[in-house]
């Protein structure tokens, strides 16, 4: 039996290696035909294209590597802002779904039912072309200035593309987070609500101090996967022309023809991003569980 | 005080909804121009399918709608209900035959496929490829053989780390590079393959969740009964695991349908792609809101219908119900 298992595995390994060899062989033949070869030397050459939005100084004469770094920073910017806003919106909408106010409850329910059944890409195009570009120049109270040039909030200048991606990701992910939060809140025994009410605590305070902390262990793992989804979905920014990592990679590959190297770089960048998010969430999860254990 | 806060919230929300409703109504009556939708209905439905052959994709879609209505609303406890699963499975080859042609029908190239037809076909095609692949990957990840377990895990984790648009884009670029020179597969098929390879990794994780929920005693019982490992998997473990995984598989299926819209970025003229080319037409310039609302309604209907069908299947497969 043991011998058979080893044999099966050897055969399987041979099969996998053979398949990989076949692919690599085809690849080399094709690469020789196109005369490209593999290598990362091109990363040091000047990129030659301009970027609309740069967190650090960048000029077209800078290298491809620097252009990709700028793209990565742009991605990081929209992802971090999106994570924060989507969490706020999701927790708010999720809590609203178990609120005592019927109108508020059904409004939150309608939001979730509508947003989750419409593709994100369509929503992004809507926010960009209809909501932001279609908006007339209207200063709202002097605090927020909307125009088709960009949006100024309290002295902070944001591009239209950034805002469209941010709002689109926030609204879309917020609906999923709302469902997770609602599930977590429902998992907390009803007795806990009755207990804080009979102690005279208000609904909002009770929700924040009694119910949500107990709902967190059920919420956090699902929240992590939503965060990872948001990071991956941020690549749809290319549809509205926001210069994120994927958009810059796309331009780079089109210019240099380095599809395989470009894919490997993108893969590495996303592995790093995922590691940052899941690492951070694991730390939060550990802290929450530890605090819960101590308080019991 | 609490009651007053409650009333205030109600009042504010009512004002907000009233204002939103009023401006929407105002826009619908005075601002909207639906000609971009009404004059292009055939394009949204079947793309640039030859005009005299349009009945073929239309017949297929009408068939799908009829079958959906029959399944959800048709009379219960009638013998022919047993034929419904077969009919659903038959819709795939029938649809392919109607679109591709041959066997007495005029052949039509994939270049002419588009609109809702292409969206549904991409969903069905990639789903059918992804489900078996996903089940195999899930079994591989739980296998006792390390080589199989490691390779399945590596595939699943790598695929889940990258965004779909990257997989689709590089699928278009890289699949030809890895194939023997001279062998070419067309764009729609390449998209379906890349899409299925991506979705399989997510399906595998859902199925694995289902497999983990099956207690080991089930497998032991099957062994005592004299079933071979393959039989026990096929007759005892997988049916139960898939039933448990069904709700999350439903979410994957709805996600699959929504994500076909990404093909528009690769130049395929499915539902969103055809709208992008319509909006580039000078006759319909600036009619973004009408087109996007119309598309949102179509996608919403399709996704909701899919979710309802899956819910129906869940109820049908519920052991408590069928034992009665």
């Amino acid at each position: 039996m043991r011998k058979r298992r080893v044999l099966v595995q050897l055969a399987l390994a041979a099969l996998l290696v053979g398949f990989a060899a076949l692919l690599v062989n085809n690849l080399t033949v094709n690469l020789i035909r196109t005369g490209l070869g593999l290598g990362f030397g091109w990363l040091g050459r000047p990129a030659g294209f301009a970027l609309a939005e740069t967190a650090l100084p960048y000029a077209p004469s800078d290298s491809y590597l620097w252009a990709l770094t700028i793209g990565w920073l742009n991605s990081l910017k929209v992802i971090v802002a999106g994570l924060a806003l989507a969490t706020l919106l999701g927790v708010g909408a999720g809590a609203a779904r178990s609120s005592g106010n019927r109108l508020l409850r059904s409004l939150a329910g309608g939001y979730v039912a509508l947003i989750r059944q419409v593709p994100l890409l369509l929503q992004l195009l809507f926010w960009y072309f209809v909501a932001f570009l279609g908006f007339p120049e209207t200063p709202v109270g002097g605090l927020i200035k909307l125009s088709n040039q960009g949006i100024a909030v309290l002295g902070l200048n944001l591009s239209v593309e950034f805002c469209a991606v941010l709002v689109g990701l926030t609204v879309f992910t917020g609906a999923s987070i709302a469902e997770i939060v609602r599930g977590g809140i429902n998992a907390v025994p009803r007795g806990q609500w009755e207990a804080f009410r009979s102690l005279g605590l208000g609904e909002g305070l009770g929700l924040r101090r009694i119910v949500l902390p107990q709902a967190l262990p059920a919420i956090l793992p699902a929240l992590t996967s939503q965060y990872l989804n948001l990071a991956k979905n941020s690549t749809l920014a290319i549809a509205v022309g926001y210069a994120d990592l994927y958009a810059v990679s796309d331009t780079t590959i089109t210019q240099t023809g380095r599809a395989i190297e470009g894919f490997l770089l993108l893969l590495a960048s996303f592995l790093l991003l995922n590691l940052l998010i899941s690492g951070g969430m694991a730390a939060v999860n550990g802290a929450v569980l530890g605090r819960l254990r101590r308080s019991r | 005080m609490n009651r007053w806060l409650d009333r205030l919230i109600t009042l504010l929300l009512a004002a907000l909804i009233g204002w939103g409703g009023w401006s929407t109504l105002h826009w619908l009556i005075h601002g909207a121009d639906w000609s971009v939708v009404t004059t292009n209905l055939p394009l949204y439905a079947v793309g640039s399918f030859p005009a005299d052959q349009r009945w073929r994709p239309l017949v297929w879609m009408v068939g799908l709608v009829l079958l959906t209505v029959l399944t959800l609303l048709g009379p219960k406890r009638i013998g022919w209900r047993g034929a419904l699963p077969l009919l659903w499975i038959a819709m795939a080859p029938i649809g392919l035959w109607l679109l591709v042609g041959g066997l007495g029908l005029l052949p039509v190239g994939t270049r002419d496929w588009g609109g809702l037809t292409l969206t549904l076909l991409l969903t069905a095609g990639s789903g059918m490829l992804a489900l078996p692949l996903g089940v195999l990957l899930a079994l591989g990840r739980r296998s006792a053989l390390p080589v199989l377990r490691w390779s399945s895990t590596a595939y699943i984790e790598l695929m889940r780390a990258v965004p779909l648009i990257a997989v689709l884009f590089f699928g278009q670029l890289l699949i030809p590079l890895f194939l023997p020179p001279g062998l070419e597969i067309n764009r729609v098929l390449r998209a379906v393959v890349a899409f299925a390879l991506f979705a399989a990794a997510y399906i595998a994780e859902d199925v694995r969740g289902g497999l983990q929920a099956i207690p080991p005693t089930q497998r032991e019982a099957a062994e005592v009964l004299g079933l071979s490992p393959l039989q026990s998997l096929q007759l005892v473990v997988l049916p139960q695991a898939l039933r448990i995984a069904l709700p999350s598989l439903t979410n994957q299926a709805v996600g699959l349908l929504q994500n076909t819209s990404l093909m528009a970025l690769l130049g395929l003229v499915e539902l969103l792609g055809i709208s992008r080319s319509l909006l580039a037409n000078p006759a319909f310039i600036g009619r973004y809101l009408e087109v996007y609302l119309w598309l949102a309604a179509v996608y919403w209907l399709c996704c909701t219908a899919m979710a309802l069908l899956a819910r129906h299947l869940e109820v049908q497969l519920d052991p408590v119900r069928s034992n009665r």
Side-chain angles (χ1 to χ4, degrees):
Chain A
M1 195 65 200
R2 215 189 137 82
K3 212 165 147 192
R4 210 179 106 194
R5 278 188 48 177
V6 172
L7 276 179
V8 168
Q9 292 204 62
L10 275 180
L12 199 75
L15 205 71
L16 280 175
V17 170
F19 186 62
L22 183 73
L23 290 183
V24 170
N25 177 50
N26 287 336
L27 179 68
T28 8
V29 171
N30 283 314
L31 284 180
I32 290 170
R33 269 203 321 173
T34 51
L36 264 176
L38 283 175
F40 287 93
W42 52 274
L43 275 174
R45 289 210 293 270
F49 52 81
L51 291 175
E53 200 162 339
T54 57
L56 295 172
Y58 167 83
S61 56
D62 287 332
S63 66
Y64 279 115
L65 186 62
W66 189 238
L68 288 167
T69 312
I70 298 283
W72 198 81
L73 287 175
N74 279 345
S75 283
L76 201 62
K77 189 166 84 175
V78 83
I79 289 170
V80 169
L83 288 184
L85 291 181
T87 310
L88 282 179
L89 181 65
V91 172
R97 291 201 70 181
S98 44
S99 121
N101 188 307
R102 186 188 289 176
L103 200 57
L104 191 62
R105 211 165 50 220
S106 36
L107 198 66
Y111 156 66
V112 171
L114 177 69
I115 293 298
R116 281 172 40 112
Q117 309 284 40
V118 175
L120 171 63
L121 183 57
L122 182 60
Q123 294 186 32
L124 279 181
L125 292 173
F126 167 83
W127 289 112
Y128 184 62
F129 285 109
V130 179
F132 284 109
L133 282 190
F135 218 90
E137 299 217 3
T138 45
V140 182
L143 284 180
I144 304 171
K145 204 171 179 145
L146 284 165
S147 73
N148 54 11
Q149 302 302 310
I151 288 127
V153 188
L154 298 168
L156 200 66
N157 259 312
L158 304 171
S159 73
V160 181
E161 288 79 19
F162 175 80
C163 291
V165 176
L166 180 60
V167 173
L169 285 176
T170 300
V171 171
F172 185 76
T173 315
S176 302
I177 293 180
E179 280 296 274
I180 293 167
V181 170
R182 185 175 71 114
I185 289 179
N186 284 347
V188 175
R190 291 308 290 178
Q192 296 289 326
W193 293 79
E194 287 149 20
F196 81 69
R197 279 185 195 133
S198 63
L199 284 174
L201 254 62
E203 292 289 308
L205 194 64
L207 188 71
R208 253 177 300 138
R209 302 299 296 270
I210 309 289
V211 178
L212 276 182
Q214 296 187 65
L216 271 183
I219 290 176
L220 282 175
L223 198 60
T224 308
S225 70
Q226 283 307 320
Y227 283 1
L228 293 174
N229 280 346
L230 186 142
K232 281 179 278 178
N233 284 337
S234 73
T235 48
L236 293 187
I238 191 176
V240 300
Y242 179 67
D244 80 324
L245 175 63
Y246 179 70
V248 178
S249 302
D250 188 87
T251 315
T252 305
I253 289 166
T254 315
Q255 281 191 7
T256 59
R258 301 283 182 174
I260 293 173
E261 296 92 326
F263 187 68
L264 290 178
L265 282 176
L266 197 75
L267 186 67
S269 318
F270 265 92
L271 285 176
L272 181 60
L273 263 178
N274 290 354
L275 219 60
L276 284 177
I277 293 175
S278 41
M281 287 304 282
V284 172
N285 202 8
V288 166
L289 288 182
R291 224 180 113 177
L292 215 65
R293 213 170 292 128
R294 256 177 280 125
S295 68
R296 268 180 190 153
Chain B
M1 180 244 154
N2 220 335
R3 216 177 49 200
W4 286 107
L5 186 69
D6 196 45
R7 282 184 189 163
L8 187 70
I9 291 176
T10 307
L11 205 68
L12 277 177
L13 283 180
L16 198 72
I17 293 170
W19 175 76
W22 171 251
S23 30
T24 310
L25 203 67
H26 185 81
W27 176 78
L28 281 177
I29 294 168
H30 297 291
D33 176 5
W34 293 101
S35 64
V36 62
V37 174
T38 48
T39 54
N40 297 308
L41 279 179
L43 274 180
Y44 287 112
V46 300
S48 54
F49 218 78
D52 55 337
Q53 302 292 322
R54 268 184 199 151
W55 60 270
R56 283 158 47 180
L58 286 179
V59 162
W60 184 55
M61 282 194 290
V62 169
L64 283 177
V65 172
L66 278 181
L67 212 49
T68 306
V69 173
L70 265 182
T71 311
L72 291 180
L73 305 173
K76 309 269 186 293
R77 297 177 193 287
I78 290 183
W80 54 260
R81 278 197 92 85
L84 278 178
L86 278 180
L87 278 176
W88 273 108
I89 293 169
M91 282 317 273
I94 291 175
L96 212 57
W97 172 58
L98 281 172
L99 286 178
V100 177
L103 299 174
L105 288 178
L106 197 72
V108 174
T110 53
R111 190 179 297 276
D112 293 326
W113 299 3
L116 184 59
T117 317
L118 186 57
T119 295
L120 292 178
L121 195 81
L122 287 171
T123 313
S126 44
M128 280 183 169
L129 280 180
L131 187 62
L133 188 59
V135 171
L136 285 181
L137 281 169
L139 290 174
R141 193 170 181 169
R142 281 175 57 79
S143 157
L145 308 174
V147 174
L148 190 56
R149 194 166 62 235
W150 293 332
S151 42
S152 309
T153 309
Y155 177 86
I156 292 172
E157 291 306 328
L158 274 182
M159 228 16 155
R160 279 160 51 92
V162 277
L164 172 59
I165 178 72
V167 175
L168 291 177
F169 177 69
F170 291 105
Q172 297 285 329
L173 281 179
L174 294 185
I175 289 179
L177 279 183
F178 283 109
L179 288 177
L183 179 69
E184 282 191 16
I185 60 175
N186 76 54
R187 251 162 38 132
V188 174
L189 193 60
R190 251 182 293 174
V192 167
V193 168
F195 209 7
L197 288 177
F198 178 82
Y202 287 80
I203 290 176
E205 284 300 90
D206 291 337
V207 174
R208 186 166 72 105
L211 286 173
Q212 275 173 353
I214 307 294
T217 44
Q218 292 279 331
R219 205 184 277 262
E220 288 160 18
E223 203 184 320
V224 168
L225 285 176
L227 265 60
S228 74
L230 196 67
Q231 280 175 325
S232 125
L233 190 69
Q234 187 192 343
L235 301 172
V236 179
V237 177
L238 261 189
Q240 299 185 71
L242 286 178
R243 195 177 62 220
I244 294 172
L246 193 60
S248 34
L249 287 177
T250 310
N251 284 340
Q252 294 299 341
V254 171
L256 207 62
L257 177 69
Q258 293 189 1
N259 283 336
T260 55
S261 61
L262 264 64
M263 309 276 188
L265 297 180
L266 303 175
L268 254 59
V269 280
E270 44 65 73
L271 210 43
L272 188 65
I274 207 112
S275 316
R276 275 159 67 101
S277 49
L278 276 176
L279 284 168
N281 180 343
F284 305 115
I285 215 110
R287 292 284 156 210
Y288 290 107
L289 191 51
E290 287 89 344
V291 172
Y292 290 161
L293 279 183
W294 157 244
L295 282 191
V298 174
Y299 275 115
W300 189 88
L301 266 178
C302 292
C303 291
T304 308
M306 255 169 102
L308 284 177
L309 281 173
R311 179 85 202 109
H312 180 81
L313 191 64
E314 251 172 73
V315 174
Q316 293 283 314
L317 294 179
D318 187 7
V320 179
R321 185 182 167 282
S322 55
N323 278 347
R324 230 180 271 157

